[in-house]
Amino acid sequence: MTRADAFVTLPDGERIARLGQGTWEMGERPERRGAEIDALRAGVDLGMTVIDTAEMYGEGATETLLGDALAGLREKVFLVSKVYPHNASRRAVVASCEASLSRLKTDRLDLYLLHWRGAVPLEETVEGFESLRRQGKIRHWGVSNFDVDDMEALRAAGGLACATNQILYNVARRGSEFDLLPWMSAHAMPAMAYSPIDHMRLPKRSVLDEIARARQLSAVQIALAWVLARPGICAIPKAGSVEHVRANRQALEVALSEQELAAIDAAFKPPRRKTPLEML
Ligand code: NAP
């Protein structure tokens, strides 16, 4: 039986919650605002304290909602935001970070990520991140959507202090198991799995439903439990209701058996060759 530990460890030894929360598409519909805030706050109460957002989401509206949701809870949370690649130059990254801090109503981010690799030289972005760290505006920095060649380029650019790489990873998107996840593991770097339930695009009928039926759970919970059982992975599902947050938290308690894991492997095969990293 495999049951997930509640934490993963960053390269500097800091432990963060293995199960966190995403925020993409939150803060964009006024009629959903109350439910989204309730969901995020319930998640923090349940220990899902890693919360991921980005300046891109709702062009700032999501960070603004999250800033409101975290009133009185900020100190419990490991807060993650992301900078657009076109804002990742030495100077612009500082302005972007300050704008995110203002929307989030806080004085520091726990982790700041480059959303994907763009045209700005990585040396510049690393310098910008390091300067933000020296100023106490961010505690850690990292990247997102970086494949192995990008990670190697980052190291060559002086980015040895990268804390994590946030990537598309779920039962149906396993390409990174071939080379990227082993590379990260060799560098003691956990991965942050985004869209851990594939943005609700998992096949309608699969072995996940069979396992779910037998356990009186949902296929979403089984898909999430599968990600959470992988070593060195933190997952950030987005849930817009307290009901979904509770269901996701329950997935952390699910211990999939060897037979269930083998059945999942048979239906969602691990990669046999290099597959370029997919992104949403
Ligand atoms: P996801 O977490 O895989 O799926 C979110 C969808 O699942 C929503 O439609 C949500 O509906 C539904 N859902 C959540 N819990 C559920 C449950 N227990 N039962 C049934 N449905 C459930 O997809 P995602 O939002 O794409 O990814 C998660 C987070 O990763 C994002 O929010 C974002 O923070 C981050 N992300 C990062 C990148 C990047 O490039 N770095 C890209 C994509 C995402 P409700 O809203 O109705 O609950």
Side-chain angles (χ1 to χ4, degrees), residues 22-24 52-53 57 82 115 144-145 166 194-200 220 236-241 244 247-248 279-280:
T23 63
W24 186 23
D52 175 73
T53 191
Y57 299 164
K82 304 193 271 309
H115 209 147
S144 178
N145 297 302
Q166 186 182 107
Y194 75 71
S195 308
I197 44 182
D198 210 31
H199 210 75
M200 288 303 275
V220 162
I236 47 167
K238 176 261 182 180
S241 66
H244 282 172
N248 294 347
M279 67 183 277
L280 276 197

PDB file of all heavy atoms in Angstrom, residues 22-24 52-53 57 82 115 144-145 166 194-200 220 236-241 244 247-248 279-280, ligand 1:
ATOM      1  N   GLY A  22      -4.576  25.205  -6.280  1.00  0.00           N
ATOM      2  CA  GLY A  22      -4.385  26.086  -7.431  1.00  0.00           C
ATOM      3  C   GLY A  22      -5.443  27.173  -7.438  1.00  0.00           C
ATOM      4  O   GLY A  22      -6.433  27.103  -6.691  1.00  0.00           O
ATOM      5  N   THR A  23      -5.254  28.168  -8.290  1.00  0.00           N
ATOM      6  CA  THR A  23      -6.218  29.292  -8.337  1.00  0.00           C
ATOM      7  C   THR A  23      -6.571  29.736  -9.757  1.00  0.00           C
ATOM      8  O   THR A  23      -7.294  30.722  -9.918  1.00  0.00           O
ATOM      9  CB  THR A  23      -5.664  30.524  -7.586  1.00  0.00           C
ATOM     10  OG1 THR A  23      -4.475  30.956  -8.261  1.00  0.00           O
ATOM     11  CG2 THR A  23      -5.384  30.241  -6.130  1.00  0.00           C
ATOM     12  N   TRP A  24      -6.036  29.056 -10.758  1.00  0.00           N
ATOM     13  CA  TRP A  24      -6.301  29.474 -12.143  1.00  0.00           C
ATOM     14  C   TRP A  24      -7.816  29.524 -12.373  1.00  0.00           C
ATOM     15  O   TRP A  24      -8.515  28.578 -11.994  1.00  0.00           O
ATOM     16  CB  TRP A  24      -5.631  28.492 -13.105  1.00  0.00           C
ATOM     17  CG  TRP A  24      -5.702  28.860 -14.543  1.00  0.00           C
ATOM     18  CD1 TRP A  24      -5.875  30.101 -15.080  1.00  0.00           C
ATOM     19  CD2 TRP A  24      -5.609  27.947 -15.647  1.00  0.00           C
ATOM     20  NE1 TRP A  24      -5.878  30.025 -16.454  1.00  0.00           N
ATOM     21  CE2 TRP A  24      -5.709  28.714 -16.832  1.00  0.00           C
ATOM     22  CE3 TRP A  24      -5.418  26.569 -15.760  1.00  0.00           C
ATOM     23  CZ2 TRP A  24      -5.648  28.148 -18.100  1.00  0.00           C
ATOM     24  CZ3 TRP A  24      -5.350  26.001 -17.023  1.00  0.00           C
ATOM     25  CH2 TRP A  24      -5.467  26.788 -18.180  1.00  0.00           C
ATOM     26  N   ASP A  52      -0.986  28.317  -5.079  1.00  0.00           N
ATOM     27  CA  ASP A  52      -0.328  28.753  -6.308  1.00  0.00           C
ATOM     28  C   ASP A  52      -1.196  29.756  -7.055  1.00  0.00           C
ATOM     29  O   ASP A  52      -2.392  29.536  -7.252  1.00  0.00           O
ATOM     30  CB  ASP A  52      -0.101  27.532  -7.216  1.00  0.00           C
ATOM     31  CG  ASP A  52       0.465  27.928  -8.562  1.00  0.00           C
ATOM     32  OD1 ASP A  52       1.661  28.287  -8.601  1.00  0.00           O
ATOM     33  OD2 ASP A  52      -0.273  27.929  -9.566  1.00  0.00           O
ATOM     34  N   THR A  53      -0.567  30.853  -7.491  1.00  0.00           N
ATOM     35  CA  THR A  53      -1.270  31.798  -8.354  1.00  0.00           C
ATOM     36  C   THR A  53      -0.284  32.353  -9.373  1.00  0.00           C
ATOM     37  O   THR A  53       0.830  31.829  -9.516  1.00  0.00           O
ATOM     38  CB  THR A  53      -1.956  32.897  -7.497  1.00  0.00           C
ATOM     39  OG1 THR A  53      -2.832  33.642  -8.339  1.00  0.00           O
ATOM     40  CG2 THR A  53      -0.962  33.824  -6.813  1.00  0.00           C
ATOM     41  N   TYR A  57      -3.078  35.167 -14.154  1.00  0.00           N
ATOM     42  CA  TYR A  57      -4.446  34.700 -13.921  1.00  0.00           C
ATOM     43  C   TYR A  57      -5.388  35.889 -13.736  1.00  0.00           C
ATOM     44  O   TYR A  57      -5.233  36.690 -12.800  1.00  0.00           O
ATOM     45  CB  TYR A  57      -4.502  33.763 -12.700  1.00  0.00           C
ATOM     46  CG  TYR A  57      -3.655  32.511 -12.842  1.00  0.00           C
ATOM     47  CD1 TYR A  57      -3.330  31.732 -11.740  1.00  0.00           C
ATOM     48  CD2 TYR A  57      -3.167  32.091 -14.088  1.00  0.00           C
ATOM     49  CE1 TYR A  57      -2.550  30.578 -11.861  1.00  0.00           C
ATOM     50  CE2 TYR A  57      -2.388  30.948 -14.219  1.00  0.00           C
ATOM     51  CZ  TYR A  57      -2.085  30.194 -13.109  1.00  0.00           C
ATOM     52  OH  TYR A  57      -1.315  29.069 -13.226  1.00  0.00           O
ATOM     53  N   LYS A  82       3.726  33.638  -9.981  1.00  0.00           N
ATOM     54  CA  LYS A  82       4.552  33.423 -11.170  1.00  0.00           C
ATOM     55  C   LYS A  82       4.611  34.704 -11.993  1.00  0.00           C
ATOM     56  O   LYS A  82       3.616  35.421 -12.102  1.00  0.00           O
ATOM     57  CB  LYS A  82       3.958  32.288 -12.024  1.00  0.00           C
ATOM     58  CG  LYS A  82       3.783  30.984 -11.256  1.00  0.00           C
ATOM     59  CD  LYS A  82       3.502  29.797 -12.135  1.00  0.00           C
ATOM     60  CE  LYS A  82       2.065  29.527 -12.447  1.00  0.00           C
ATOM     61  NZ  LYS A  82       1.102  29.444 -11.361  1.00  0.00           N
ATOM     62  N   HIS A 115       7.060  31.704 -15.231  1.00  0.00           N
ATOM     63  CA  HIS A 115       5.893  30.902 -15.672  1.00  0.00           C
ATOM     64  C   HIS A 115       6.248  29.936 -16.802  1.00  0.00           C
ATOM     65  O   HIS A 115       5.771  28.809 -16.834  1.00  0.00           O
ATOM     66  CB  HIS A 115       4.769  31.860 -16.092  1.00  0.00           C
ATOM     67  CG  HIS A 115       3.401  31.292 -15.909  1.00  0.00           C
ATOM     68  ND1 HIS A 115       2.307  32.043 -15.582  1.00  0.00           N
ATOM     69  CD2 HIS A 115       2.916  30.029 -16.026  1.00  0.00           C
ATOM     70  CE1 HIS A 115       1.234  31.279 -15.494  1.00  0.00           C
ATOM     71  NE2 HIS A 115       1.586  30.057 -15.768  1.00  0.00           N
ATOM     72  N   SER A 144       8.852  27.093 -14.152  1.00  0.00           N
ATOM     73  CA  SER A 144       7.676  26.297 -14.510  1.00  0.00           C
ATOM     74  C   SER A 144       7.779  25.949 -15.993  1.00  0.00           C
ATOM     75  O   SER A 144       8.293  26.743 -16.784  1.00  0.00           O
ATOM     76  CB  SER A 144       6.411  27.111 -14.235  1.00  0.00           C
ATOM     77  OG  SER A 144       5.267  26.375 -14.608  1.00  0.00           O
ATOM     78  N   ASN A 145       7.271  24.770 -16.330  1.00  0.00           N
ATOM     79  CA  ASN A 145       7.268  24.305 -17.726  1.00  0.00           C
ATOM     80  C   ASN A 145       8.675  24.201 -18.309  1.00  0.00           C
ATOM     81  O   ASN A 145       8.866  24.422 -19.512  1.00  0.00           O
ATOM     82  CB  ASN A 145       6.388  25.230 -18.589  1.00  0.00           C
ATOM     83  CG  ASN A 145       4.936  25.218 -18.157  1.00  0.00           C
ATOM     84  OD1 ASN A 145       4.305  24.169 -18.132  1.00  0.00           O
ATOM     85  ND2 ASN A 145       4.410  26.378 -17.752  1.00  0.00           N
ATOM     86  N   GLN A 166       7.544  23.738 -11.720  1.00  0.00           N
ATOM     87  CA  GLN A 166       6.106  23.414 -11.710  1.00  0.00           C
ATOM     88  C   GLN A 166       5.733  22.919 -13.105  1.00  0.00           C
ATOM     89  O   GLN A 166       5.897  23.649 -14.082  1.00  0.00           O
ATOM     90  CB  GLN A 166       5.301  24.664 -11.324  1.00  0.00           C
ATOM     91  CG  GLN A 166       3.830  24.377 -11.151  1.00  0.00           C
ATOM     92  CD  GLN A 166       3.021  25.622 -10.812  1.00  0.00           C
ATOM     93  OE1 GLN A 166       2.272  26.135 -11.643  1.00  0.00           O
ATOM     94  NE2 GLN A 166       3.175  26.112  -9.612  1.00  0.00           N
ATOM     95  N   TYR A 194       1.109  20.569 -11.682  1.00  0.00           N
ATOM     96  CA  TYR A 194      -0.094  21.356 -11.952  1.00  0.00           C
ATOM     97  C   TYR A 194      -1.081  20.529 -12.777  1.00  0.00           C
ATOM     98  O   TYR A 194      -0.715  19.513 -13.353  1.00  0.00           O
ATOM     99  CB  TYR A 194       0.232  22.715 -12.571  1.00  0.00           C
ATOM    100  CG  TYR A 194       0.654  22.824 -14.018  1.00  0.00           C
ATOM    101  CD1 TYR A 194      -0.228  22.608 -15.064  1.00  0.00           C
ATOM    102  CD2 TYR A 194       1.943  23.232 -14.338  1.00  0.00           C
ATOM    103  CE1 TYR A 194       0.152  22.764 -16.385  1.00  0.00           C
ATOM    104  CE2 TYR A 194       2.338  23.393 -15.668  1.00  0.00           C
ATOM    105  CZ  TYR A 194       1.430  23.153 -16.689  1.00  0.00           C
ATOM    106  OH  TYR A 194       1.811  23.320 -17.999  1.00  0.00           O
ATOM    107  N   SER A 195      -2.347  20.969 -12.774  1.00  0.00           N
ATOM    108  CA  SER A 195      -3.437  20.205 -13.401  1.00  0.00           C
ATOM    109  C   SER A 195      -3.356  18.728 -13.007  1.00  0.00           C
ATOM    110  O   SER A 195      -3.373  17.842 -13.874  1.00  0.00           O
ATOM    111  CB  SER A 195      -3.417  20.372 -14.929  1.00  0.00           C
ATOM    112  OG  SER A 195      -3.388  21.733 -15.293  1.00  0.00           O
ATOM    113  N   PRO A 196      -3.281  18.430 -11.700  1.00  0.00           N
ATOM    114  CA  PRO A 196      -3.096  17.032 -11.285  1.00  0.00           C
ATOM    115  C   PRO A 196      -4.300  16.159 -11.610  1.00  0.00           C
ATOM    116  O   PRO A 196      -4.182  14.938 -11.615  1.00  0.00           O
ATOM    117  CB  PRO A 196      -2.891  17.141  -9.765  1.00  0.00           C
ATOM    118  CG  PRO A 196      -3.555  18.423  -9.373  1.00  0.00           C
ATOM    119  CD  PRO A 196      -3.354  19.348 -10.548  1.00  0.00           C
ATOM    120  N   ILE A 197      -5.456  16.790 -11.924  1.00  0.00           N
ATOM    121  CA  ILE A 197      -6.589  16.003 -12.425  1.00  0.00           C
ATOM    122  C   ILE A 197      -6.878  16.402 -13.875  1.00  0.00           C
ATOM    123  O   ILE A 197      -7.998  16.298 -14.363  1.00  0.00           O
ATOM    124  CB  ILE A 197      -7.821  16.104 -11.494  1.00  0.00           C
ATOM    125  CG1 ILE A 197      -8.075  17.543 -11.042  1.00  0.00           C
ATOM    126  CG2 ILE A 197      -7.620  15.241 -10.273  1.00  0.00           C
ATOM    127  CD1 ILE A 197      -9.241  17.705 -10.082  1.00  0.00           C
ATOM    128  N   ASP A 198      -5.796  16.832 -14.544  1.00  0.00           N
ATOM    129  CA  ASP A 198      -5.798  17.122 -15.986  1.00  0.00           C
ATOM    130  C   ASP A 198      -6.860  18.137 -16.387  1.00  0.00           C
ATOM    131  O   ASP A 198      -7.447  18.016 -17.468  1.00  0.00           O
ATOM    132  CB  ASP A 198      -5.938  15.831 -16.821  1.00  0.00           C
ATOM    133  CG  ASP A 198      -5.228  15.972 -18.168  1.00  0.00           C
ATOM    134  OD1 ASP A 198      -4.219  16.697 -18.245  1.00  0.00           O
ATOM    135  OD2 ASP A 198      -5.711  15.374 -19.150  1.00  0.00           O
ATOM    136  N   HIS A 199      -7.093  19.116 -15.511  1.00  0.00           N
ATOM    137  CA  HIS A 199      -8.054  20.180 -15.839  1.00  0.00           C
ATOM    138  C   HIS A 199      -9.410  19.552 -16.195  1.00  0.00           C
ATOM    139  O   HIS A 199     -10.134  20.048 -17.061  1.00  0.00           O
ATOM    140  CB  HIS A 199      -7.515  21.024 -17.006  1.00  0.00           C
ATOM    141  CG  HIS A 199      -7.961  22.457 -16.978  1.00  0.00           C
ATOM    142  ND1 HIS A 199      -7.442  23.393 -16.116  1.00  0.00           N
ATOM    143  CD2 HIS A 199      -8.897  23.123 -17.706  1.00  0.00           C
ATOM    144  CE1 HIS A 199      -8.042  24.557 -16.325  1.00  0.00           C
ATOM    145  NE2 HIS A 199      -8.926  24.416 -17.281  1.00  0.00           N
ATOM    146  N   MET A 200      -9.742  18.443 -15.550  1.00  0.00           N
ATOM    147  CA  MET A 200     -11.003  17.694 -15.759  1.00  0.00           C
ATOM    148  C   MET A 200     -11.117  17.137 -17.183  1.00  0.00           C
ATOM    149  O   MET A 200     -12.230  16.980 -17.698  1.00  0.00           O
ATOM    150  CB  MET A 200     -12.220  18.570 -15.415  1.00  0.00           C
ATOM    151  CG  MET A 200     -12.387  18.813 -13.926  1.00  0.00           C
ATOM    152  SD  MET A 200     -12.535  17.289 -12.962  1.00  0.00           S
ATOM    153  CE  MET A 200     -14.285  16.949 -13.106  1.00  0.00           C
ATOM    154  N   VAL A 220     -11.866  11.327  -9.734  1.00  0.00           N
ATOM    155  CA  VAL A 220     -10.995  12.489  -9.479  1.00  0.00           C
ATOM    156  C   VAL A 220     -10.125  12.219  -8.252  1.00  0.00           C
ATOM    157  O   VAL A 220      -8.908  12.480  -8.252  1.00  0.00           O
ATOM    158  CB  VAL A 220     -11.848  13.768  -9.280  1.00  0.00           C
ATOM    159  CG1 VAL A 220     -11.059  14.868  -8.610  1.00  0.00           C
ATOM    160  CG2 VAL A 220     -12.402  14.254 -10.610  1.00  0.00           C
ATOM    161  N   ILE A 236      -1.172  20.624  -6.811  1.00  0.00           N
ATOM    162  CA  ILE A 236      -1.938  21.849  -6.538  1.00  0.00           C
ATOM    163  C   ILE A 236      -3.266  21.859  -7.305  1.00  0.00           C
ATOM    164  O   ILE A 236      -3.477  22.697  -8.182  1.00  0.00           O
ATOM    165  CB  ILE A 236      -1.099  23.110  -6.868  1.00  0.00           C
ATOM    166  CG1 ILE A 236      -0.425  22.985  -8.251  1.00  0.00           C
ATOM    167  CG2 ILE A 236      -0.057  23.358  -5.791  1.00  0.00           C
ATOM    168  CD1 ILE A 236       0.154  24.308  -8.774  1.00  0.00           C
ATOM    169  N   PRO A 237      -4.197  20.939  -6.964  1.00  0.00           N
ATOM    170  CA  PRO A 237      -5.492  20.961  -7.650  1.00  0.00           C
ATOM    171  C   PRO A 237      -6.244  22.257  -7.361  1.00  0.00           C
ATOM    172  O   PRO A 237      -6.148  22.801  -6.265  1.00  0.00           O
ATOM    173  CB  PRO A 237      -6.244  19.772  -7.036  1.00  0.00           C
ATOM    174  CG  PRO A 237      -5.630  19.600  -5.682  1.00  0.00           C
ATOM    175  CD  PRO A 237      -4.182  19.976  -5.847  1.00  0.00           C
ATOM    176  N   LYS A 238      -6.997  22.710  -8.348  1.00  0.00           N
ATOM    177  CA  LYS A 238      -7.842  23.890  -8.145  1.00  0.00           C
ATOM    178  C   LYS A 238      -9.266  23.409  -7.871  1.00  0.00           C
ATOM    179  O   LYS A 238      -9.801  22.586  -8.626  1.00  0.00           O
ATOM    180  CB  LYS A 238      -7.800  24.774  -9.389  1.00  0.00           C
ATOM    181  CG  LYS A 238      -8.730  25.976  -9.314  1.00  0.00           C
ATOM    182  CD  LYS A 238     -10.018  25.731 -10.040  1.00  0.00           C
ATOM    183  CE  LYS A 238     -10.933  26.940 -10.021  1.00  0.00           C
ATOM    184  NZ  LYS A 238     -12.197  26.671 -10.743  1.00  0.00           N
ATOM    185  N   ALA A 239      -9.861  23.909  -6.808  1.00  0.00           N
ATOM    186  CA  ALA A 239     -11.235  23.547  -6.481  1.00  0.00           C
ATOM    187  C   ALA A 239     -11.991  24.813  -6.119  1.00  0.00           C
ATOM    188  O   ALA A 239     -11.548  25.586  -5.272  1.00  0.00           O
ATOM    189  CB  ALA A 239     -11.263  22.553  -5.326  1.00  0.00           C
ATOM    190  N   GLY A 240     -13.146  24.990  -6.738  1.00  0.00           N
ATOM    191  CA  GLY A 240     -13.906  26.220  -6.540  1.00  0.00           C
ATOM    192  C   GLY A 240     -15.021  26.095  -5.522  1.00  0.00           C
ATOM    193  O   GLY A 240     -15.833  27.009  -5.390  1.00  0.00           O
ATOM    194  N   SER A 241     -15.051  24.977  -4.793  1.00  0.00           N
ATOM    195  CA  SER A 241     -16.079  24.816  -3.754  1.00  0.00           C
ATOM    196  C   SER A 241     -15.485  24.077  -2.562  1.00  0.00           C
ATOM    197  O   SER A 241     -14.537  23.293  -2.712  1.00  0.00           O
ATOM    198  CB  SER A 241     -17.267  24.013  -4.294  1.00  0.00           C
ATOM    199  OG  SER A 241     -16.867  22.681  -4.572  1.00  0.00           O
ATOM    200  N   HIS A 244     -15.483  20.292  -3.082  1.00  0.00           N
ATOM    201  CA  HIS A 244     -14.367  19.749  -3.866  1.00  0.00           C
ATOM    202  C   HIS A 244     -13.063  19.784  -3.072  1.00  0.00           C
ATOM    203  O   HIS A 244     -12.243  18.878  -3.179  1.00  0.00           O
ATOM    204  CB  HIS A 244     -14.227  20.520  -5.184  1.00  0.00           C
ATOM    205  CG  HIS A 244     -15.241  20.115  -6.216  1.00  0.00           C
ATOM    206  ND1 HIS A 244     -15.411  20.780  -7.406  1.00  0.00           N
ATOM    207  CD2 HIS A 244     -16.151  19.099  -6.217  1.00  0.00           C
ATOM    208  CE1 HIS A 244     -16.374  20.186  -8.114  1.00  0.00           C
ATOM    209  NE2 HIS A 244     -16.835  19.182  -7.405  1.00  0.00           N
ATOM    210  N   ALA A 247     -13.089  16.866  -0.741  1.00  0.00           N
ATOM    211  CA  ALA A 247     -12.870  15.619  -1.488  1.00  0.00           C
ATOM    212  C   ALA A 247     -11.391  15.469  -1.836  1.00  0.00           C
ATOM    213  O   ALA A 247     -10.816  14.376  -1.734  1.00  0.00           O
ATOM    214  CB  ALA A 247     -13.726  15.617  -2.748  1.00  0.00           C
ATOM    215  N   ASN A 248     -10.755  16.570  -2.228  1.00  0.00           N
ATOM    216  CA  ASN A 248      -9.343  16.503  -2.606  1.00  0.00           C
ATOM    217  C   ASN A 248      -8.475  16.190  -1.386  1.00  0.00           C
ATOM    218  O   ASN A 248      -7.521  15.415  -1.458  1.00  0.00           O
ATOM    219  CB  ASN A 248      -8.913  17.811  -3.274  1.00  0.00           C
ATOM    220  CG  ASN A 248      -9.617  18.006  -4.615  1.00  0.00           C
ATOM    221  OD1 ASN A 248     -10.216  17.066  -5.139  1.00  0.00           O
ATOM    222  ND2 ASN A 248      -9.547  19.205  -5.158  1.00  0.00           N
ATOM    223  N   MET A 279       2.564  21.289 -21.999  1.00  0.00           N
ATOM    224  CA  MET A 279       2.066  22.329 -21.083  1.00  0.00           C
ATOM    225  C   MET A 279       0.634  22.701 -21.451  1.00  0.00           C
ATOM    226  O   MET A 279       0.202  22.485 -22.569  1.00  0.00           O
ATOM    227  CB  MET A 279       2.992  23.544 -21.043  1.00  0.00           C
ATOM    228  CG  MET A 279       3.099  24.377 -22.286  1.00  0.00           C
ATOM    229  SD  MET A 279       4.310  25.728 -22.085  1.00  0.00           S
ATOM    230  CE  MET A 279       3.334  26.987 -21.267  1.00  0.00           C
ATOM    231  N   LEU A 280      -0.105  23.208 -20.453  1.00  0.00           N
ATOM    232  CA  LEU A 280      -1.480  23.669 -20.715  1.00  0.00           C
ATOM    233  C   LEU A 280      -1.456  25.157 -20.951  1.00  0.00           C
ATOM    234  O   LEU A 280      -0.735  25.870 -20.288  1.00  0.00           O
ATOM    235  CB  LEU A 280      -2.382  23.402 -19.495  1.00  0.00           C
ATOM    236  CG  LEU A 280      -3.005  22.031 -19.330  1.00  0.00           C
ATOM    237  CD1 LEU A 280      -4.140  22.115 -18.333  1.00  0.00           C
ATOM    238  CD2 LEU A 280      -3.510  21.450 -20.636  1.00  0.00           C
TER     239      LEU A 280
HETATM  240  P1  NAP B   1      -6.922  20.771 -12.114  1.00  0.00           P
HETATM  241  O1  NAP B   1      -6.582  21.178 -10.738  1.00  0.00           O
HETATM  242  O2  NAP B   1      -6.362  19.508 -12.669  1.00  0.00           O
HETATM  243  O3  NAP B   1      -8.509  20.706 -12.321  1.00  0.00           O
HETATM  244  C1  NAP B   1      -9.348  21.756 -11.942  1.00  0.00           C
HETATM  245  C2  NAP B   1     -10.776  21.345 -12.301  1.00  0.00           C
HETATM  246  O4  NAP B   1     -11.137  20.213 -11.511  1.00  0.00           O
HETATM  247  C3  NAP B   1     -11.795  22.421 -12.008  1.00  0.00           C
HETATM  248  O5  NAP B   1     -12.735  22.378 -13.064  1.00  0.00           O
HETATM  249  C4  NAP B   1     -12.454  21.960 -10.702  1.00  0.00           C
HETATM  250  O6  NAP B   1     -13.799  22.331 -10.644  1.00  0.00           O
HETATM  251  C5  NAP B   1     -12.364  20.466 -10.826  1.00  0.00           C
HETATM  252  N1  NAP B   1     -12.279  19.791  -9.516  1.00  0.00           N
HETATM  253  C6  NAP B   1     -11.393  20.037  -8.529  1.00  0.00           C
HETATM  254  N2  NAP B   1     -11.583  19.190  -7.497  1.00  0.00           N
HETATM  255  C7  NAP B   1     -12.626  18.404  -7.848  1.00  0.00           C
HETATM  256  C8  NAP B   1     -13.302  17.335  -7.197  1.00  0.00           C
HETATM  257  N3  NAP B   1     -12.906  16.886  -6.003  1.00  0.00           N
HETATM  258  N4  NAP B   1     -14.325  16.727  -7.850  1.00  0.00           N
HETATM  259  C9  NAP B   1     -14.714  17.143  -9.091  1.00  0.00           C
HETATM  260  N5  NAP B   1     -14.099  18.150  -9.743  1.00  0.00           N
HETATM  261  C10 NAP B   1     -13.065  18.772  -9.126  1.00  0.00           C
HETATM  262  O7  NAP B   1      -6.546  21.896 -13.184  1.00  0.00           O
HETATM  263  P2  NAP B   1      -5.815  23.298 -13.171  1.00  0.00           P
HETATM  264  O8  NAP B   1      -6.613  24.330 -12.503  1.00  0.00           O
HETATM  265  O9  NAP B   1      -5.402  23.494 -14.576  1.00  0.00           O
HETATM  266  O10 NAP B   1      -4.450  23.051 -12.351  1.00  0.00           O
HETATM  267  C11 NAP B   1      -4.315  23.315 -10.983  1.00  0.00           C
HETATM  268  C12 NAP B   1      -3.517  24.577 -10.727  1.00  0.00           C
HETATM  269  O11 NAP B   1      -2.203  24.474 -11.286  1.00  0.00           O
HETATM  270  C13 NAP B   1      -4.083  25.835 -11.412  1.00  0.00           C
HETATM  271  O12 NAP B   1      -5.233  26.301 -10.763  1.00  0.00           O
HETATM  272  C14 NAP B   1      -2.887  26.734 -11.364  1.00  0.00           C
HETATM  273  O13 NAP B   1      -2.730  27.296 -10.065  1.00  0.00           O
HETATM  274  C15 NAP B   1      -1.755  25.761 -11.693  1.00  0.00           C
HETATM  275  N6  NAP B   1      -1.420  25.714 -13.139  1.00  0.00           N
HETATM  276  C16 NAP B   1      -0.177  26.123 -13.525  1.00  0.00           C
HETATM  277  C17 NAP B   1       0.172  26.121 -14.879  1.00  0.00           C
HETATM  278  C18 NAP B   1       1.540  26.561 -15.297  1.00  0.00           C
HETATM  279  O14 NAP B   1       1.770  26.787 -16.501  1.00  0.00           O
HETATM  280  N7  NAP B   1       2.476  26.701 -14.384  1.00  0.00           N
HETATM  281  C19 NAP B   1      -0.750  25.679 -15.853  1.00  0.00           C
HETATM  282  C20 NAP B   1      -2.000  25.236 -15.418  1.00  0.00           C
HETATM  283  C21 NAP B   1      -2.324  25.244 -14.073  1.00  0.00           C
HETATM  284  P3  NAP B   1     -14.348  23.405  -9.578  1.00  0.00           P
HETATM  285  O15 NAP B   1     -13.586  24.661  -9.819  1.00  0.00           O
HETATM  286  O16 NAP B   1     -15.783  23.449  -9.874  1.00  0.00           O
HETATM  287  O17 NAP B   1     -14.074  22.839  -8.194  1.00  0.00           O
END
